[in-house]
Amino acid sequence: MNSLEGFGVVTFTAILLTGCGGGSSGGSSVQDDSSQELIQETTGAVSVSITDGPSEEASELVLHFTHIELGREDGHVERIPVSSGSGTIDLMGLQNGNTAMLVEEESMLVGRYEWLELGVDLQKSHLQLQNGATHGMRMGDGSTTRVDVALDVAAGSHSEYVLDIDARRSII
């Protein structure tokens, strides 16, 4: 193909639980000074990083992430903004075990989340090929940045997840 038609972040090759730490999975209680009642802790912390596999066609694959959404079966959706300083990431620099943090120790309601979706600003994203040609981004029909996966947020705990985007399969 002589020209690049577009780009879609359509393939997540893996979502890996890379570690958990802090707190207990059973929750903890704190005492409310005003009412002297025990209040059950209802939040946990989540960190999400991103990585990529090699792509022979691209020299740069810059995506501008705006937010992450996590949804539960009951319809509750947590929307976590990606800070502006860490939102623009060149995936080609995230190979061979390198990762970039999208959200770090974000407090979330306890529960099982059924899906995760990345918000990407395509106007601030681009692809540069090995031959130097630069292309804007667009999402193809039916493409989505949503992946169905079970993510558990336990009371008082910190869970870390790494999203692995397969750029080689995502470039159209």
Side-chain angles (χ1 to χ4, degrees), residues 79-92:
R79 185 181 182 113
I80 306 168
V82 174
S83 65
S84 59
S86 63
T88 302
I89 298 170
D90 182 357
L91 294 181
M92 294 299 98

Side-chain angles (χ1 to χ4, degrees), residues 12-80:
F12 291 93
T13 57
I15 293 189
L16 307 171
L17 175 63
T18 59
C20 295
S24 68
S25 62
S28 61
S29 9
V30 293
Q31 195 166 8
D32 182 353
D33 291 334
S34 64
S35 66
Q36 301 299 315
E37 293 180 31
L38 292 178
I39 300 171
Q40 184 68 30
E41 188 174 326
T42 58
T43 62
V46 172
S47 295
V48 179
S49 299
I50 193 160
T51 190
D52 186 30
S55 174
E56 296 79 21
E57 295 178 24
S59 61
E60 285 184 5
L61 179 51
V62 176
L63 296 179
H64 182 80
F65 296 99
T66 58
H67 64 275
I68 294 176
E69 287 186 349
L70 294 110
R72 295 194 313 218
E73 187 176 32
D74 66 4
H76 176 80
V77 176
E78 289 275 346
R79 185 181 182 113
I80 306 168

Side-chain angles (χ1 to χ4, degrees), residues 25-169:
S25 62
S28 61
S29 9
V30 293
Q31 195 166 8
D32 182 353
D33 291 334
S34 64
S35 66
Q36 301 299 315
E37 293 180 31
L38 292 178
I39 300 171
Q40 184 68 30
E41 188 174 326
T42 58
T43 62
V46 172
S47 295
V48 179
S49 299
I50 193 160
T51 190
D52 186 30
S55 174
E56 296 79 21
E57 295 178 24
S59 61
E60 285 184 5
L61 179 51
V62 176
L63 296 179
H64 182 80
F65 296 99
T66 58
H67 64 275
I68 294 176
E69 287 186 349
L70 294 110
R72 295 194 313 218
E73 187 176 32
D74 66 4
H76 176 80
V77 176
E78 289 275 346
R79 185 181 182 113
I80 306 168
V82 174
S83 65
S84 59
S86 63
T88 302
I89 298 170
D90 182 357
L91 294 181
M92 294 299 98
L94 301 180
Q95 298 172 9
N96 302 316
N98 293 322
T99 62
M101 186 70 64
L102 292 177
V103 295
E104 187 169 9
E105 295 191 43
E106 186 68 31
S107 179
M108 292 180 51
L109 291 176
V110 168
R112 174 165 280 225
Y113 291 81
E114 304 289 324
W115 54 264
L116 180 144
E117 183 171 299
L118 293 172
V120 179
D121 183 342
L122 297 176
Q123 299 300 315
K124 295 181 179 178
S125 303
H126 72 272
L127 169 71
Q128 183 172 349
L129 299 178
Q130 292 291 342
N131 66 11
T134 301
H135 301 274
M137 304 286 189
R138 67 183 172 111
M139 298 299 283
D141 293 337
S143 296
T144 182
T145 61
R146 181 177 288 191
V147 63
D148 294 326
V149 64
L151 303 169
D152 291 312
V153 177
S157 73
H158 175 221
S159 301
E160 297 179 35
Y161 297 92
V162 176
L163 302 177
D164 187 356
I165 294 181
D166 188 348
R168 180 184 329 181
R169 293 178 48 197

